[in-house]
Amino acid sequence: MDKVYKSRRKKRGMNIAYNLLVYFVWFLSTYYTIVVMLSLFLKRKEIFEQHPPLKQHPLVSIIVPAFNEEASIAGTIQSLRELNYPNYEVIILNDGSKDKTSQIVKSKLKGLSNFRFIDNKKNKGKAACLNQGIAVAKGEFFGCMDADSIVEPDIIKKTIPYFRNSKVGAVTVSVETYKPKGILQRVIDLEYVLGLSLFLKIFSFHNAVFVTPGPFTMFRSSVANEIGGFDKESITEDFEIAFRIHKAGYKIRNCIEAKVHTIIPPTFKGIYVQRKRWYTGSLQTIFQHKNMLFRKKYGVFAFLIPFNYSLIVFGLVLFLYASYLGFSKLFENLLHFRYTDYNLFQRLFDWHFDILNYGQVNMLSMTVFLGGILLMIFGLKAAKKSFAKKRFGMLGYPFLFILYQVFCLGSIIAFLRGRKVKWR
Amino acid sequence: MEINKSIFIIAFLITLFLLMLMLLIGSNMNNQRYKYINTKFSELYTSFNEMQTFFLMAETFGDEMACLTFEKKLKEMDKSIWELAVKIDQYRIATEEFQKDKYYLEQKRAFNENEIFYLTLLKNLNERCSFDQSIILFFYQNSADCKKCDDQSFVLDDINKQYDDDVAIFSFDMDLNISTAELLKEYYNVDKLPCIVIENGTFCGIRSKDFVLKKLCELKPSNPLCD
């Protein structure tokens, strides 16, 4: 009897803990959704900002580190050649590639006086390569660009006006996927349109942009020099530098109307490696700059980061626990059928919907799901994107969300065990 | 350019309002559940009263007159009794978030007590009217302590759905410590849970659908489901 009593007490305790977690995660995610929606509503006319045209054209350097990019580097160079800005230079740095990157770059740069090529034979890492580029760049501003990305011709013209405000240290742009194929890439395309474009625009209204995406971000050279360039120890150098820009008192803005198209890893394994690096690197960076968190002088940024990651971590715990409960219930239900000769279909047709069978926790979960859909719809509308083109991404998003939770769990374990995650 | 910080307070208040709204909807749904169960209970009580009248009629005017009406009523009641037992359990699970199940426990107790009353009447009239319907008694307890009880409940639910008119199932939650249910348990020599009693034959431990149907036909071959 004592055993039964203990088991019931344990079950009751678990039940209460689970429900408290649901209410907590619901509150965090709903609050987050409402802040984003309200910001979107208040600033709906300023999403696409209009700046007076440039009277002067300061020199802009574009730095492109490349490691084994033989498949994409030619396209990247071509897009840089087509930039419609009169005063720019391009610095391409080979980072010890083992493929034909170096040969391709050399052949493509023939006759281009504003393009330079630094052929490093030894791999030193992306951040170190970028720092090498910054050291030789002559521009008042410089853009850091991935060698698997393609910029639109007006990217410099559109981003430079933001630097009229002397406190702006960096300007991020809209990151879109390059010719997405298949459901996975379409879902990532939607994620980029919202997460790496529109949401960064919204966060810029709160001075809380927390990343300077690798595919393309424009920096003020003096700010980059002041903060010491990129952290070569970091595996998410584009996330880490955002912390130091805020720390130095500068702002990061977003120019949603300027676009870069990036190639996403074609395989599932490639996406897993990329995400694991992102998540583990983010955790390392947050730990590295923990003294910035909750400090009023860093504004919303100092609160957004812990809020975001609390939501991710608690959401992950809830997801895992809810999945465990869901699967064990499903398994239990399937096991019932062994006593009735597995007449699954008969039961399927007997099923009747009764909304009263669903408790408060189910209702809360449903509103989070609905909130996510509303955010997607309003987000796409605000970003002036077609629903029809993003329909596959919207349908597939819940599945990718599940995958991300798995990736996230892997990253947290790797971080806690102090495992070194490689860039590639 | 930057948004006023008051947006965070406004968003907090909206979130709080939504939470209140959700709690209000939840409370309303709870009331709807109570209302549903209370309505079903009222219907059952009316039926119980009718049954008593039929019983008295049979006593006074003879079996022939009462049995005809009784058979129709019997079939209606079997279904609603089982469905209500299932519904109470479903609603109890839906509202168990913070273990506010006092209401459901009280309802289950009242339900089980009435069930025993109905069972007694039914057994009596079944013999007098010579109906072919079989009676199954199901003794169980909380699923946390008796995993197999859930399995057995599933099997009986399946049988009830398929042979609704030919079988009357009565379930007794032994966690509720109802003295009359305890008496029945003793009477039928129920020594472990789950346990089913088919036409006075006691079978403890989990029993498959095939087994139950086979025993039903062995013990009451006249039941139409055996055709």
Side-chain angles (χ1 to χ4, degrees):
Chain A
M1 202 60 197
D2 192 43
K3 203 178 156 192
V4 170
Y5 176 72
K6 272 185 187 166
S7 126
R8 282 187 193 173
R9 236 180 101 166
K10 192 180 161 196
K11 197 194 165 209
R12 195 161 60 235
M14 294 285 280
N15 207 15
I16 291 173
Y18 173 70
N19 291 314
L20 283 175
L21 185 64
V22 170
Y23 279 82
F24 182 64
V25 172
W26 180 88
F27 202 91
L28 289 187
S29 63
T30 308
Y31 181 63
Y32 187 88
T33 307
I34 291 171
V35 166
V36 172
M37 294 260 234
L38 273 179
S39 311
L40 203 61
F41 177 74
L42 291 173
K43 291 286 179 182
R44 62 194 181 282
K45 287 178 183 154
E46 292 172 46
I47 299 283
F48 291 89
E49 292 179 41
Q50 297 295 323
H51 289 271
L54 291 167
K55 285 181 186 149
Q56 289 175 324
H57 295 93
L59 177 66
V60 174
S61 309
I62 307 289
I63 303 165
V64 189
F67 175 75
N68 291 346
E69 302 285 4
E70 63 178 8
S72 56
I73 192 75
T76 306
I77 293 169
Q78 186 55 36
S79 76
L80 289 169
R81 286 181 65 173
E82 288 166 11
L83 288 173
N84 59 10
Y85 188 79
N87 191 16
Y88 73 99
E89 62 166 358
V90 176
I91 304 157
I92 299 171
L93 301 106
N94 179 28
D95 190 17
S97 299
K98 291 181 176 69
D99 63 0
K100 291 178 183 160
T101 303
S102 180
Q103 292 96 303
I104 294 169
V105 175
K106 280 174 190 164
S107 70
K108 292 284 172 190
L109 297 195
K110 274 178 193 160
L112 299 172
S113 58
N114 60 335
F115 280 64
R116 274 189 280 166
F117 181 50
I118 300 171
D119 196 2
N120 294 310
K121 298 291 176 204
K122 208 177 154 194
N123 179 269
K124 50 164 89 178
K126 189 184 172 188
C129 238
L130 284 169
N131 285 342
Q132 190 184 6
I134 295 168
V136 297
K138 293 173 191 152
E140 192 182 330
F141 306 100
F142 67 88
C144 288
M145 183 178 173
D146 282 349
D148 58 357
S149 300
I150 285 161
V151 286
E152 291 198 353
D154 52 7
I155 199 158
I156 301 179
K157 267 191 176 170
K158 283 181 172 168
T159 48
I160 294 301
Y162 283 78
F163 289 100
R164 283 186 178 124
N165 179 342
S166 60
K167 290 310 280 179
V168 172
V171 177
T172 71
V173 300
S174 265
V175 182
E176 298 190 359
T177 54
Y178 182 72
K179 294 181 181 168
K181 287 179 203 128
I183 190 84
L184 190 60
Q185 294 201 354
R186 283 190 168 90
V187 177
I188 293 174
D189 176 54
L190 178 70
E191 185 201 10
Y192 279 16
V193 165
L194 295 176
L196 285 182
S197 307
L198 184 74
F199 286 3
L200 288 189
K201 184 78 197 178
I202 292 167
F203 294 144
S204 79
F205 294 134
H206 295 288
N207 190 24
V209 176
F210 54 86
V211 66
T212 56
F216 191 92
T217 297
M218 191 69 85
F219 294 87
R220 190 187 295 273
S221 303
S222 59
V223 171
N225 288 325
E226 186 185 324
I227 62 172
F230 287 93
D231 177 1
K232 56 183 198 269
E233 297 301 317
S234 175
I235 50 168
T236 44
E237 72 298 322
D238 52 354
F239 183 66
E240 196 278 334
I241 200 170
F243 279 74
R244 281 182 295 121
I245 291 173
H246 282 284
K247 206 173 205 170
Y250 294 99
K251 296 173 193 291
I252 303 172
R253 299 288 305 278
N254 172 272
C255 171
I256 201 168
E257 51 274 36
K259 286 172 191 161
V260 60
H261 303 267
T262 190
I263 296 167
I264 39 185
T267 61
F268 178 79
K269 195 187 165 198
I271 290 168
Y272 172 69
V273 171
Q274 184 197 51
R275 298 294 159 142
K276 198 170 172 188
R277 179 178 65 79
W278 284 6
Y279 298 144
T280 313
S282 310
L283 290 171
Q284 285 169 350
T285 303
I286 292 167
F287 193 71
Q288 184 184 344
H289 293 285
K290 56 185 181 297
N291 57 348
M292 280 182 78
L293 308 180
F294 301 111
R295 295 284 293 274
K296 219 176 165 184
K297 70 172 180 176
Y298 301 119
V300 177
F301 175 82
F303 292 89
L304 177 75
I305 295 289
F307 184 91
N308 242 349
Y309 282 82
S310 302
L311 187 56
I312 290 172
V313 171
F314 284 111
L316 176 66
V317 174
L318 178 63
F319 172 78
L320 291 173
Y321 194 40
S323 304
Y324 162 73
L325 289 180
F327 279 112
S328 53
K329 188 80 196 156
L330 183 72
F331 187 62
E332 247 176 54
N333 285 345
L334 283 174
L335 279 182
H336 287 326
F337 284 96
R338 70 191 186 277
Y339 298 109
T340 59
D341 295 333
Y342 294 96
N343 58 343
L344 290 156
F345 287 102
Q346 190 193 318
R347 299 290 292 211
L348 208 64
F349 293 120
D350 282 341
W351 187 74
H352 297 292
F353 177 74
D354 177 5
I355 195 160
L356 297 179
N357 279 350
Y358 299 93
Q360 187 96 54
V361 164
N362 298 96
M363 302 291 278
L364 290 177
S365 314
M366 192 51 79
T367 56
V368 169
F369 185 70
L370 281 175
I373 291 177
L374 280 178
L375 202 58
M376 267 189 208
I377 292 171
F378 287 120
L380 284 176
K381 196 167 182 281
K384 294 181 183 170
K385 296 288 173 191
S386 135
F387 289 110
K389 281 185 184 169
K390 306 289 175 199
R391 64 187 184 278
F392 291 115
M394 286 178 86
L395 286 173
Y397 202 82
F399 299 103
L400 195 76
F401 174 79
I402 294 170
L403 270 183
Y404 282 175
Q405 299 295 320
V406 178
F407 294 168
C408 199
L409 181 69
S411 306
I412 291 173
I413 293 170
F415 172 73
L416 292 176
R417 293 176 76 178
R419 279 199 181 161
K420 206 164 179 176
V421 175
K422 287 180 183 167
W423 221 94
R424 285 178 174 85
Chain B
M1 166 62 211
E2 278 172 29
I3 299 178
N4 196 306
K5 302 283 182 290
S6 60
I7 192 176
F8 296 104
I9 297 165
I10 296 168
F12 183 79
L13 292 176
I14 295 175
T15 313
L16 213 57
F17 169 75
L18 284 178
L19 180 67
M20 294 297 173
L21 193 69
M22 293 301 295
L23 292 175
L24 206 69
I25 292 171
S27 155
N28 184 270
M29 282 174 74
N30 237 358
N31 289 337
Q32 294 290 324
R33 289 185 191 104
Y34 292 172
K35 210 171 147 188
Y36 177 87
I37 288 171
N38 288 338
T39 313
K40 288 286 164 191
F41 255 108
S42 305
E43 282 171 19
L44 266 185
Y45 285 138
T46 315
S47 301
F48 284 141
N49 288 336
E50 274 185 81
M51 298 287 286
Q52 286 187 73
T53 315
F54 293 146
F55 189 75
L56 277 173
M57 281 169 77
E59 291 277 297
T60 317
F61 302 107
D63 294 342
E64 237 175 81
M65 186 188 166
C67 287
L68 205 69
T69 336
F70 179 64
E71 191 175 15
K72 197 173 160 248
K73 192 72 206 167
L74 181 83
K75 286 178 179 173
E76 274 174 30
M77 277 193 77
D78 293 340
K79 197 179 178 188
S80 48
I81 279 184
W82 179 258
E83 277 177 1
L84 185 56
V86 172
K87 218 60 194 168
I88 290 176
D89 279 338
Q90 281 175 344
Y91 287 175
R92 191 180 166 195
I93 292 166
T95 53
E96 73 175 355
E97 273 132 37
F98 293 102
Q99 300 290 321
K100 296 177 291 189
D101 56 1
K102 205 177 157 198
Y103 169 82
Y104 293 102
L105 287 176
E106 280 168 8
Q107 294 302 316
K108 274 199 92 170
R109 179 183 284 276
F111 176 76
N112 272 191
E113 279 163 358
N114 281 296
E115 232 182 353
I116 295 166
F117 169 71
Y118 172 61
L119 168 72
T120 320
L121 265 180
L122 177 65
K123 275 185 90 69
N124 199 308
L125 279 169
N126 235 358
E127 276 167 31
R128 292 174 74 159
C129 299
S130 312
F131 291 142
D132 294 326
Q133 196 188 36
S134 301
I135 296 173
I136 300 177
L137 309 186
F138 171 41
F139 296 89
Y140 71 101
Q141 70 178 130
N142 193 298
S143 61
D145 313 318
C146 172
K147 289 271 175 217
K148 294 285 177 197
C149 291
D150 262 5
D151 286 332
Q152 192 63 70
S153 172
F154 183 84
V155 170
L156 294 177
D157 193 36
D158 206 65
I159 291 172
N160 193 60
K161 276 182 176 143
Q162 206 173 344
Y163 305 105
D164 176 35
D165 288 348
D166 308 319
V167 186
I169 306 171
F170 296 91
S171 55
F172 302 103
D173 185 345
M174 300 317 289
D175 278 335
L176 299 175
N177 297 321
I178 300 164
S179 52
T180 36
E182 291 291 338
L183 271 174
L184 276 177
K185 186 183 162 191
E186 223 168 281
Y187 177 77
Y188 286 111
N189 295 320
V190 173
D191 52 5
K192 68 169 183 174
L193 299 175
C195 197
I196 50 174
V197 177
I198 307 169
E199 294 292 338
N200 296 331
T202 306
F203 306 96
C204 290
I206 175 78
R207 302 289 169 172
S208 71
K209 185 180 172 185
D210 274 352
F211 176 89
V212 177
L213 293 177
K214 205 175 137 197
K215 282 291 162 196
L216 273 175
C217 292
E218 268 176 33
L219 297 165
K220 194 157 195 171
S222 58
N223 192 318
L225 74 84
C226 306
D227 293 342

